[in-house]
Amino acid sequence: MEVIIGKTSGFCYGVKNAVDKANEELDNPSENIYCLGELVHNKQVTNKLQEKGLIFIENIDEANGKIIIRAHGIKKEIYQKAKELNIELKDLTCPKVLKIHDTVEEYSKNGYYIFLVGIANHPETIGTYSFCGENSSIIENIVDLEEAVAKFQKTNLKKALLITQTTFNLKEFEEIAQELKQILNGVELKIINSICLSTESRQKEADTLSKEVELMIIVGGKKSSNTRKLYDISLKNCKNVIFAETKEELDMNFIKQFKKIGVMAGASTPYESIDNIVESIKNK
């Protein structure tokens, strides 16, 4: 049996930075340390942080000490509320996400309508959207364009920005961008592909690898947007695709029938999880 592990699998910079700095805070705590939401979308990572003392909360009012801001970012108003409550924030938002916050806020102030491409209920999209201002829409897929454009046209604005969640599917974003350009012919449209390079590289590798193997195993958290995209991409090219967080989820009787297996992992998946799954396959 041949097992091919994607070269781009494992922590991206933003996740590694957040996890490393959260651990640093927990190594020498002077007070309770909280995290607003999951730091990253991976149970194994968050469980270890919780064991070290990190307290996960969903509302800033629950905190009685320092708050770590998750890698996905938070809503704009939470920063203001933290000031009002005199709560110290340790902002571990991915730098690429912070840059998008600044970008959409600047364009909004300069009279642009903001079309934000992303999963509406994803924490990153929720956070970014709060910086977009009133004249904005979230586009999850090409079907949402009609309603978003209708809202834009009611504003009588003459300029628009199309930007995306860092972990969105590249091909889908390009399709949306192309369609929007045709619809808004004559309107000043600025298009910014803000999908991070790490996400883009993973998606391209998953696309290539899934065409070459009999079985694809995607390793990562079920809530992880970028990991879900790897699964969706692989499924288009390979009939057999498994989405698993841990080795315990694998059906070895099913796996052992394949001779060539590809393994890809999301940006919030620790290398330990990848290694455990690969070792389980090889030793079955």
Side-chain angles (χ1 to χ4, degrees), residues 231-243:
Y231 175 79
D232 293 340
I233 289 169
S234 298
L235 205 55
K236 290 179 180 178
N237 303 318
C238 184
K239 292 188 297 182
N240 304 292
V241 184
I242 296 172
F243 192 159

Side-chain angles (χ1 to χ4, degrees), residues 192-203:
I192 298 178
N193 174 8
S194 47
I195 297 172
C196 76
L197 183 59
S198 172
T199 296
E200 205 169 305
S201 299
R202 285 169 206 273
Q203 290 181 5

Side-chain angles (χ1 to χ4, degrees), residues 101-116:
H101 290 180
D102 292 340
T103 299
V104 296
E105 190 168 39
E106 179 184 353
Y107 273 84
S108 179
K109 288 177 179 177
N110 288 326
Y112 282 77
Y113 189 94
I114 311 298
F115 293 102
L116 174 60

Side-chain angles (χ1 to χ4, degrees), residues 8 24 44-45 71 73 81 89 109 114 116 125 147 159-160 181 188 196 198 202 204 212 243 254 274:
T8 55
E24 288 174 12
Q44 287 67 50
V45 173
K81 190 165 185 180
L89 296 180
K109 288 177 179 177
I114 311 298
L116 174 60
T125 305
E147 184 177 344
K159 301 182 290 185
K181 276 196 289 188
E188 180 186 334
C196 76
S198 172
R202 285 169 206 273
K204 288 178 178 178
E212 301 173 351
F243 192 159
F254 174 74
I274 303 169

